[in-house]
Structure formats: C-alpha cells, structure tokens
Amino acid sequence: LQYIWLDIMKLLRAVVFIFLLIGLFYLEASRMFVVDTSIHFSILYPIGVLLCSLFIVKSGGVFLDRNNRGILLLVVWLYIITLLHSVFTPLPAKYCYVTLILPSICLYLPQKLLNSNFNQKYFDRGNIVVFVLLLFYYFHNYQNNIFIDIDSQNNSAYTVLFFAPILLCINNKYIRYVVLFLTGIALFFSLKRSGIAAFSLGLVAFLYFTIKTSITQKNKFIYLIFICICLYSSLVLLQSILGERADLLSNRFTQLDDSGSGRDEIYKATWKLIGENSIMDFVIGHGYGGVLKNSPLACSAHNDYLEFLYDYGVIGLALLLSFMLKFGRLVIGLIRKKSNYAAPAAFTFVVVLINSCFSHVFYYEWYLLLIAIFWGYLNWNVKKESVVGQ
C-alpha cells in the first residue's frame, strides 16, 4: 500500500509540474510587452503557479536549505511592508498580493521536487520547453518593439535573460552555449543598452571561468581560439540578422549624451524623495512602487538599491545588499572549488548586479521569481556536486 501511495504521489507531482510550467510560461509571457499581444495578464496565472508550487513544496518534505534564507528574508520583508502600507494605500492591482509572495515559495521548488526522486532530466527538459516558448513568443511579437520609439524600448527580452540562468545550471556544455547564443540574439534585438552590456560582461565572465575551472592547461589555448572564432562568427551573423537595426543599436551606444535615457534626472528626483524621508520612512519605507507613486517624474528609480531604500526602508536595502554579498561569496567559493557551476553563477551574478544598478531585477517580481528558481536550483546542484565529489 505504501508503494502504491508513493507511485500516486510521484504521478501527481509530474502532473502538477506540467501545470506549473504552463502557468509560469503564461505569467512571464504576459509581462513581457507593454503593448497588447495574444497573451493578456490574468490573475489566474500567478494563482495557478502558487497552488502548484504549494503542492510540490508541501509534498517534498520539511528540509529547508539554509542558503535560501537570504532571498527568503528579502521577499518576506518586502511582502510584510507591502501589506502594511496597503492598509492605507491600496496596491495598484489585487494580483500583487499573490505575485509578490511567489518568489519565496518557488525558491524551494527545485529542492523539494528533485529531493522527492523526481527525474532531473524531466525538470531540465520542462524548463527548456518554457524557455523556447518564451523565445518564440518574444520574436513572434517582435513587431511590437519595432513600432515603439527607440528611447522607450520595453524590457521584453529581459524575461529571456533572467530565465537563461536556470538552464545554465544544466550540466551540459552544448545546452549552455546554445542558451547563451539565443539569449544574446534576443538581447541585441531589444536595443537595451544596460541589458546588452550586462549580457556581454556576463558572457565574458562565463567564458573566463569556464576556461579557469574546467579546461585543462593543455587545451586552454585551443579553446580560446575556438571561442574567438565563434564570437567573431556570431557578431557577423548578428549584424546580418539585425540588418538596419544594427545601425540603430550602434547609434544607441555611440550617442551616450542622453544621460542614460534620462537616468540622471530620475536618480536626482529619487534622492530628493529619500532626503525628504522621516525616521519612520527610513525604517518601513513607503511600500510597493513608492517611487513611482511619489516621484514628480512618475517613474520608478531605475535602480534596485535606491528603489528598495525608498520603498522598503533601510532594512529592505540591507537585506538586498546582504543577498548580493552572499551571492558574490558563493561565486568566489565555486571558482575556488573549480565547480562546474562556477561559470553559470558568475554569469548570473554579473547580469543581476549590472541590471540592478541601471534597471530593475528585484523590484519586478516576475524577474525576482526567475532569480529565486535559479538560486534554488543552483544550490541544489552545488550540494549534489559536493556529495558526489566526496
């Protein structure tokens, strides 16, 4: 009877995992474009992901990874502050009550699912399918980007960028390189300077630490030549694919006298808001979207650290900085151990660090959700690697 029950639970987890992936795709796809597309946002998507996640986490045992505490505390704190302020200032939409707490639950999905004897290959293949669907959706709706003013390009490619680290945790070099190549194409089409810069520097970090940690001294020179040839070929191919958009991209980088698309004015306005804070404001902040609500420019801070200081107070900022420091220490530790996951971790750290300084990663909960899943999967793989290596 016990074996029958275990088989039933295994089948249920597989079915729930499929529904989870469907919900995740629709949730992320519905937040990609600022204009209407075939997928409109619905509260059913986050609720579906929440229910599926709760089932998987609840049925996966009680063990909790201590390495997840940093991001867990961060999400819980911002959720508590959001609820506190929502008593006086309603949230912009009811779905925020669900989406803002999702990262703290999905953080444990990889660990809970894979520790319950769920086949890792199915987990990886499921995420690959979602990634491919998001890529297809991005390029299928790319005409929406073309008709938007160049100075106001939306962040649709960032969904692909922040989903990629989950697949980089797959211990298969061919999958990793294909994911990086496809992500790079999506980013270059987006014309987002900070995103392209973050990806490019992240790619350099990925390649460098791949060479440093997994390539033998004898093969390093050959590998380096191969990488140079591939990068040059990729640039030629991208220029051919981009066509006239290549000139637009070039102009975006050469004409940097626009003060980062007005970011200097945004930062000044945000600092002014912070300077007007009372002591209580510094402690508990102004709640979700505080800068957007109170800024005379009617936009977010375009910097996660300024945003968190104003929205969630010094405690929120301290928790964010603490997580980033922990992330950095993890990357250094993996590099020293010559881990197979050092390069994916370094890539993600660089991408998150740069984008959090010039755009948003943690402020947008649909991006934070992907970072949380990546973090959980990375730590699960690292633990598995250390056990196998003993």
Side-chain angles (χ1 to χ4, degrees):
L1 187 62
Q2 182 178 1
Y3 291 112
I4 295 175
W5 173 249
L6 290 174
D7 288 338
I8 293 174
M9 289 301 297
K10 186 176 180 180
L11 178 61
L12 274 175
R13 286 193 193 95
V15 173
V16 171
F17 179 63
I18 293 172
F19 280 106
L20 171 68
L21 293 176
I22 294 172
L24 183 62
F25 165 73
Y26 278 96
L27 172 59
E28 295 296 334
S30 64
R31 311 304 300 183
M32 288 178 76
F33 291 93
V34 295
V35 294
D36 287 337
T37 60
S38 57
I39 298 178
H40 300 278
F41 183 82
S42 169
I43 195 173
L44 294 178
Y45 306 149
I47 288 178
V49 174
L50 176 66
L51 293 176
C52 293
S53 301
L54 285 173
F55 175 84
I56 292 172
V57 171
K58 184 66 177 176
S59 64
V62 295
F63 175 75
L64 298 178
D65 193 334
R66 291 177 59 186
N67 291 325
N68 293 341
R69 287 181 182 177
I71 195 168
L72 176 64
L73 290 174
L74 175 67
V75 175
V76 170
W77 173 258
L78 70 86
Y79 194 70
I80 291 173
I81 294 300
T82 298
L83 291 180
L84 176 64
H85 284 281
S86 68
V87 175
F88 308 99
T89 305
L91 289 173
K94 292 181 180 179
Y95 66 75
C96 292
Y97 290 102
V98 181
T99 57
L100 286 170
I101 197 63
L102 263 183
S104 65
I105 300 169
C106 293
L107 172 66
Y108 293 96
L109 275 175
Q111 171 190 311
K112 295 288 188 176
L113 192 62
L114 296 170
N115 282 344
S116 61
N117 296 320
F118 189 85
N119 194 316
Q120 186 178 2
K121 290 183 179 179
Y122 294 150
F123 181 85
D124 292 337
R125 289 169 183 171
N127 283 300
I128 290 173
V129 169
V130 176
F131 179 78
V132 171
L133 289 174
L134 287 172
L135 265 175
F136 175 79
Y137 183 73
Y138 169 73
F139 286 110
H140 179 69
N141 291 280
Y142 186 69
Q143 64 270 19
N144 294 317
N145 263 354
I146 296 175
F147 296 114
I148 297 174
D149 184 68
I150 296 301
D151 293 329
S152 305
Q153 287 297 308
N154 62 65
N155 299 338
S156 51
Y158 282 173
T159 301
V160 176
L161 177 63
F162 295 128
F163 200 102
I166 300 173
L167 302 189
L168 294 181
C169 289
I170 300 174
N171 196 12
N172 183 304
K173 61 182 179 181
Y174 300 110
I175 291 177
R176 289 179 176 183
Y177 290 136
V178 170
V179 168
L180 288 170
F181 178 73
L182 294 175
T183 302
I185 291 178
L187 259 294
F188 277 95
F189 265 91
S190 74
L191 302 182
K192 297 293 290 185
R193 289 176 295 192
S194 59
I196 293 171
F199 172 80
S200 300
L201 292 175
L203 181 60
V204 170
F206 180 90
L207 296 175
Y208 176 77
F209 290 116
T210 296
I211 294 172
K212 192 174 181 64
T213 60
S214 60
I215 306 298
T216 62
Q217 191 67 33
K218 182 180 179 180
N219 296 327
K220 280 184 179 179
F221 183 70
I222 297 174
Y223 183 80
L224 188 59
I225 293 176
F226 176 73
I227 289 297
C228 291
I229 294 172
C230 288
L231 288 176
Y232 177 76
S233 302
S234 298
L235 288 174
V236 173
L237 180 62
L238 274 172
Q239 190 171 14
S240 175
I241 294 174
L242 286 172
E244 294 181 356
R245 304 284 284 178
D247 295 330
L248 292 174
L249 178 60
S250 177
N251 291 334
R252 291 271 288 166
F253 277 97
T254 55
Q255 298 175 356
L256 291 174
D257 55 350
D258 60 353
S259 302
S261 299
R263 277 179 173 78
D264 59 341
E265 294 299 322
I266 295 172
Y267 296 155
K268 288 178 183 178
T270 305
W271 273 117
K272 186 177 180 181
L273 288 175
I274 294 171
E276 296 171 353
N277 277 345
S278 65
I279 295 177
M280 185 61 70
D281 292 333
F282 273 113
V283 176
I284 63 172
H286 296 264
Y288 179 75
V291 177
L292 177 63
K293 288 182 290 187
N294 299 328
S295 173
L297 301 178
C299 65
S300 68
H302 283 61
N303 177 292
D304 274 327
Y305 307 96
L306 292 178
E307 188 77 43
F308 268 61
L309 178 58
Y310 190 77
D311 289 2
Y312 306 115
V314 292
I315 297 177
L317 176 62
L319 289 171
L320 178 56
L321 291 172
S322 176
F323 170 69
M324 289 303 295
L325 288 172
K326 186 170 185 178
F327 197 167
R329 287 197 297 267
L330 175 65
V331 172
I332 293 172
L334 293 176
I335 293 169
R336 288 175 176 171
K337 295 176 183 177
K338 295 187 179 296
S339 169
N340 288 326
Y341 303 98
F347 169 85
T348 309
F349 178 76
V350 171
V351 167
V352 170
L353 179 62
I354 294 176
N355 276 289
S356 64
C357 289
F358 298 101
S359 185
H360 289 300
V361 181
F362 300 95
Y363 172 60
Y364 295 133
E365 61 271 21
W366 49 94
Y367 296 156
L368 179 55
L369 172 63
L370 298 178
I371 298 301
I373 295 173
F374 156 77
W375 184 260
Y377 194 33
L378 174 67
N379 279 288
W380 185 86
N381 276 297
V382 169
K383 282 202 168 187
K384 179 185 175 185
E385 183 183 52
S386 63
V387 171
V388 172
Q390 287 178 353

